[in-house]
Amino acid sequence: MKDLTPDRASLDPIEIASRDEITALQIDRLRWSLRHAYDNVAFYTNSFDAAGVHPDDLVDLSDLAKFPFTVKTDLRDNYPFGMFAVPRNQIRRVHASSGTTGQPTVVGYTAQDLHHWGAVVARSLRAGGMRPGDMLHNAYGYGLFTGGLGIHLGADALGLITVPVSGGMTPRQVRLIDDFKPKGITVTPSYALSVLDEFHAEGIDPRDTSLEVGIFGAEPWTNAMRQEIEQAFDMHAVDIYGLSEVIGPGVSMECVETKDGLHIWEDHFYPEIINPETGEVCAEGEMGELVFTSLTKEAFPIIRYRTRDLTRLLAGTARSMRRMEKVTGRSDDMIILRGVNVFPTQIEEILMRQTALSPHFQIELTRPDRMDQMRVVAEIAHKGVTHTDRDTAARALVEGIKQSIGVTVDVHVGNVGDVPRSQGKAVRIIDRRSNSG
Ligand code: DLL
């Protein structure tokens, strides 16, 4: 794999500024953001008043802990535009995330918000190894989802040639990569696996493509998956994180030269880690729930938003800005199986050790006799896997899960293509507990 480390001179000065400079900027911007939210969004006026705090109470960054949290249901309760802080004629774009419960969460952007979003995504793409003039195959979905259009905005800002292919029509993805010879691909890791399968199906060696880097996010994925993808495509695989409530992709990004966690673009998004049970702020380095406060957003300021994503904060390395460890999962996706916490990423990690199995999988939950049962549905890696190898792999998976997680699960290994494929975010958990008696 090629060395794609960006020139230091090409970075935004704030990426390598001193911590003191970053902190000073954050305090200024945080004061503005709290004031802006309080003055212009009834929800924040009420929630700050109810908690007995005022924007002027913020003197130090640690004072932020006095302010109340914002949660997903607050956004739903104010559907569609109740959380917007500017008049409607200043909004230039809306996006929405569908969520699992039906009611979408709507977010909005002013012209300046779009400019900032483009800037942080451009910074992220550069950190991933892209340079002005490079071609990017953007296979994140275009539409209300922030992935496609968010990446596109940053690619424009960085000066890339964007192929706005969106998700789906997998044979066409392969053809365009083969014909256009892009340097980078932006796609969910699960859809990247489908694209990989299609390369194999067409008899094209993915290691022979022009791709030098894949920028993967929008769902959790493991370092085991990174190795698999890097090996299969002979390219770098780096992690990009974000959520629509905070802006979309480009909240944090892994640097291609270090791949040691994701640098949070702290000049725009202020991170905290809290204990999800007590709401207390955790010490640096402790694992907990990630909380974000926007520092510059005009249309949709967000104060202490509980992401439900679990990670920890670490000091900066390749950039001065702090890192977050790869997200292991969302508290929503945590399965509690007979008292043991299980995340789909843990299953992914163990599954990837079985060469007879493909990396595609789903988890089915049922409740026969009022006891939760978990079944991992996997499939063989290719048609040549024998029945004996299939059984051995299934047993090894059961054993691996028992040993590393401490729970006994059922494993079903189907044929190639049995596990439903995603074109965007993978559906990992099928919960049949309510209708299985
Ligand atoms: O998924 C934004 C995005 C698009 C990020 C493209 C990266 C690339 P939402 O649809 O609002 O926004 O979903 C946000 O997805 O709270 C996480 O649970 C999860 N997520 C996003 N990126 C990562 C990642 C976009 N790199 C939710 N690793 C977040 C793990 C991620 N989970």
Side-chain angles (χ1 to χ4, degrees), residues 225-280:
M225 177 82 86
R226 186 205 307 274
Q227 277 165 16
E228 169 100 10
I229 293 177
E230 289 196 331
Q231 182 61 30
F233 281 100
D234 188 26
M235 69 175 180
H236 295 279
V238 282
D239 197 358
I240 185 165
Y241 169 91
L243 62 167
S244 37
E245 296 89 331
V246 175
I247 206 155
V251 171
S252 65
M253 173 74 196
E254 208 165 42
C255 290
V256 70
E257 65 270 38
T258 40
K259 296 182 190 156
D260 59 354
L262 300 89
H263 288 272
I264 298 166
W265 304 131
E266 281 191 82
D267 48 339
H268 293 280
F269 317 107
Y270 187 78
E272 296 170 280
I273 298 285
I274 62 159
N275 176 326
E277 312 286 321
T278 64
E280 298 280 318

Side-chain angles (χ1 to χ4, degrees), residues 368-427:
D369 308 322
R370 276 180 273 153
M371 272 285 272
D372 282 358
Q373 299 282 355
M374 182 169 141
R375 189 156 95 129
V376 178
V377 180
E379 59 179 50
I380 51 172
H382 53 85
K383 290 195 186 102
V385 174
T386 63
H387 280 289
T388 321
D389 289 346
R390 183 194 300 236
D391 292 346
T392 310
R395 272 200 305 277
L397 190 53
V398 172
E399 198 44 42
I401 293 171
K402 172 93 194 140
Q403 275 185 4
S404 352
I405 313 178
V407 289
T408 304
V409 303
D410 230 15
V411 166
H412 169 79
V413 178
N415 293 323
V416 174
D418 278 1
V419 177
R421 303 296 195 254
S422 84
Q423 298 189 343
K425 296 181 192 244
V427 176

Side-chain angles (χ1 to χ4, degrees), residues 72 96-98 140 145-148 151 187-188 215-221 239-252 262 305 307-309 324 326-330 333 425:
K72 185 110 180 163
S97 67
S98 55
Y140 285 118
F145 173 54
T146 51
I151 294 291
V187 61
T188 59
I215 298 178
F216 302 108
E219 61 187 6
W221 57 297
D239 197 358
I240 185 165
Y241 169 91
L243 62 167
S244 37
E245 296 89 331
V246 175
I247 206 155
V251 171
S252 65
L262 300 89
Y305 185 67
T307 64
R308 306 194 185 190
D309 293 324
M324 53 187 259
K326 223 167 171 358
V327 172
T328 41
R330 295 171 62 72
D333 287 347
K425 296 181 192 244

Side-chain angles (χ1 to χ4, degrees), residues 196-223:
L196 183 62
D197 288 347
E198 184 62 27
F199 269 106
H200 291 309
E202 295 189 19
I204 303 171
D205 186 349
R207 293 179 63 87
D208 292 341
T209 69
S210 56
L211 290 172
E212 292 175 33
V213 62
I215 298 178
F216 302 108
E219 61 187 6
W221 57 297
T222 58
N223 281 317

Side-chain angles (χ1 to χ4, degrees), residues 126 130-135 158-161:
R126 186 176 53 218
M130 299 300 289
R131 301 286 168 272
D134 287 342
M135 183 181 282
L158 185 59
L160 305 183
I161 310 161

